[in-house]
Amino acid sequence: EVDPGEVIRLEIEQSQYRCSGPGYVDMVHNSGENIDWLLDNGVTFGQVDVDKGDILVFHRFANHTGGKDYVPAMVEAAEKNGVTFMYDTEGTSLIKADDGSVAGAYAETKGGDAIQINAKSVIIATGGFADNQDYMAECGLKPNSYVIGGVPGHDGLGHQMGIGAGAKSNRESTAMLAAFKVPTTPGYYDNGKFDFVVGIAAPYSMWINEKGERFINEDFAGANAMAMTMPTWRNEKTYIIMDAPMMDMFVNGDADAQKQLEDAIGEQEILKADTLDDLASQASIDASALTETVDRYNGFAATGADLDYGKSAEAMMPLSTAPFYAIHVIPQVNTSIGSLQTDRTFHAVDENHEPIKGLYVVGVEGAMLWNNIYTINVGGTCNGNNVNSGRTAANHAHGYIAG
């Protein structure tokens, strides 16, 4: 039993009231029909749970991967309905008619042949611009300050094609699907113990920047896991500081975690020292600054009152038992979310917020449900938007929906 209004309100609040309310209403109220439609077309689900949120709506794929449970079934269903997939063929620009509408696209094959495709409507579904360093820098992530995860090839070309056709950019409000990455360690989906989970499982630790300063209440990410990297974007370097008891709690006797810890120490992505001065030296941080920060933090832990950032007393543990660890973390971005502005039918809109006839933008490229931060408390909303936006745009382009 789920209250749709509760879901929508939670997501809007998390987005600081800057997202599309009507967009959430449509997606949430369409979700049951969309799930039925997926099932009818052969998509397989295993269970419903909360994932990393707290509302029981996350429809988990049967084999835990869309590559097995979603993509093959949908490709087969599309081909049965007459869809032609042109692989190794890249769209390059859109065709505009004299009245300003979009009437097709130009493309290029892997062999270099140019193709003109005339169409009543074009749907851009190119998955964001996370591989475009210039665009990412405009969002606040400088080159070499993050790594890319997820599916490669999101170079911003779809965004550029939309802009060339007169669509309004949304890059100033783009959200990122991002979490912590400890360089050189295995990724989250490769049984990595020090990716992503560090931000959630280590709220008891102390986080510092390259100057040895705290900069956030370290338990903040419990409210939204996707927020964990955001306060670090302005840092030149970010370390999660633990002492021996904290690290023992984190590793918890896991042999894989212990090996990954030792390997990361060997790669100097996790620093280990018997004194804070030595730890500071390894991290190229002023030793007195780090000691002062730790002493201040330990004082707050002793009194149960974080007078700097208001961290909860339950999450504060003193850093007092050697060896000490400094875990180097950087953002790993899987995709950007919200590149081109769209309306309720997923038409791209122009600078006057008028829909561009014949041009739709779907998936994360045209998502208006998140601004600056991706909310994850309601699990499955990003995939839910991908399905709902694609289906809504296609139905609208075919005239199945009035308006």
Side-chain angles (χ1 to χ4, degrees):
E1 295 295 327
V2 176
D3 179 349
E6 178 189 2
V7 172
I8 294 165
R9 176 173 175 166
L10 178 60
E11 292 290 71
I12 290 174
E13 287 176 344
Q14 281 279 312
S15 204
Q16 297 183 318
Y17 307 99
R18 297 181 62 216
C19 63
S20 170
Y24 264 116
V25 168
D26 290 345
M27 184 189 70
V28 170
H29 286 281
N30 290 345
S31 63
E33 182 182 330
N34 287 337
I35 290 289
D36 289 342
W37 177 74
L38 292 175
L39 291 168
D40 289 343
N41 283 288
V43 175
T44 53
F45 295 99
Q47 66 189 57
V48 179
D49 56 49
V50 299
D51 192 40
K52 295 175 179 65
D54 51 17
I55 297 181
L56 190 68
V57 293
F58 184 76
H59 287 65
R60 193 174 297 279
F61 292 124
N63 295 290
H64 301 279
T65 168
K68 294 180 180 178
D69 301 304
Y70 176 84
V71 174
M74 295 306 289
V75 169
E76 182 180 356
E79 290 177 337
K80 283 182 178 178
N81 282 277
V83 173
T84 298
F85 290 94
M86 301 175 69
Y87 299 104
D88 293 322
T89 302
E90 185 175 74
T92 56
S93 61
L94 301 179
I95 301 170
K96 291 196 73 174
D98 292 339
D99 63 358
S101 64
V102 170
Y106 296 108
E108 185 175 298
T109 67
K110 191 175 183 179
D113 294 330
I115 300 174
Q116 177 176 330
I117 303 169
N118 300 319
K120 291 169 59 178
S121 298
V122 172
I123 299 176
I124 294 175
T126 40
F129 54 78
D131 286 319
N132 188 309
Q133 289 192 349
D134 291 338
Y135 289 175
M136 294 293 283
E138 291 176 11
C139 294
L141 286 168
K142 296 175 289 186
N144 303 317
S145 69
Y146 64 97
V147 294
I148 296 296
V151 180
H154 300 160
D155 57 5
L157 182 57
H159 176 88
Q160 294 161 17
M161 292 168 68
I163 295 295
K168 183 174 176 60
S169 175
N170 192 60
R171 292 213 317 270
E172 73 281 359
S173 295
T174 295
M176 300 291 168
L177 199 166
F180 277 146
K181 169 70 177 174
V182 180
T184 76
T185 63
Y188 177 66
Y189 294 104
D190 295 319
N191 197 34
K193 304 296 184 179
F194 289 88
D195 282 4
F196 192 97
V197 182
V198 169
I200 302 170
Y204 307 99
S205 59
M206 186 182 76
W207 299 9
I208 61 169
N209 61 19
E210 70 283 353
K211 297 179 180 179
E213 304 166 324
R214 280 183 77 207
F215 54 89
I216 196 66
N217 55 302
E218 294 86 353
D219 58 346
F220 78 104
N224 183 345
M226 290 296 103
M228 72 172 71
T229 72
M230 294 184 70
T232 73
W233 290 11
R234 64 180 60 86
N235 298 344
E236 290 298 321
K237 220 164 190 182
T238 300
Y239 290 102
I240 292 176
I241 307 298
M242 293 184 180
D243 68 355
M246 290 184 194
M247 185 59 74
D248 289 343
M249 286 176 58
F250 185 75
V251 172
N252 196 29
D254 186 318
D256 285 340
Q258 184 64 38
K259 184 180 186 308
Q260 290 174 25
L261 171 62
E262 292 169 359
D263 289 346
I265 291 172
E267 297 283 349
Q268 294 188 305
E269 296 297 348
I270 297 179
L271 309 176
K272 179 182 179 181
D274 289 328
T275 66
L276 290 174
D277 284 357
D278 186 15
L279 194 71
S281 176
Q282 292 184 50
S284 299
I285 294 173
D286 180 81
S288 61
L290 178 60
T291 299
E292 180 181 342
T293 298
V294 172
D295 287 345
R296 185 174 178 84
Y297 181 83
N298 285 347
F300 293 155
T303 63
D306 178 7
L307 302 183
D308 287 343
Y309 295 104
K311 182 175 180 176
S312 65
E314 295 79 10
M316 298 194 70
M317 293 175 60
L319 292 156
S320 56
T321 305
F324 301 98
Y325 300 86
I327 304 170
H328 177 214
V329 291
I330 59 177
Q332 175 173 286
V333 181
N334 286 337
T335 188
S336 62
I337 305 174
S339 161
L340 295 167
Q341 292 197 23
T342 58
D343 65 10
R344 201 165 181 172
T345 61
F346 297 96
H347 273 97
V349 298
D350 62 20
E351 292 294 331
N352 296 316
H353 295 276
E354 293 296 325
I356 299 174
K357 184 179 179 182
L359 180 60
Y360 300 84
V361 187
V362 303
V364 296
E365 201 84 75
M368 297 293 100
L369 303 183
W370 302 278
N371 276 272
N372 301 116
I373 184 169
Y374 170 52
T375 54
I376 201 169
N377 289 340
V378 182
T381 49
C382 198
N383 267 347
N385 165 75
N386 293 344
V387 172
N388 185 65
S389 60
R391 191 168 180 231
T392 298
N395 281 338
H396 195 279
H398 278 286
Y400 299 150
I401 300 175

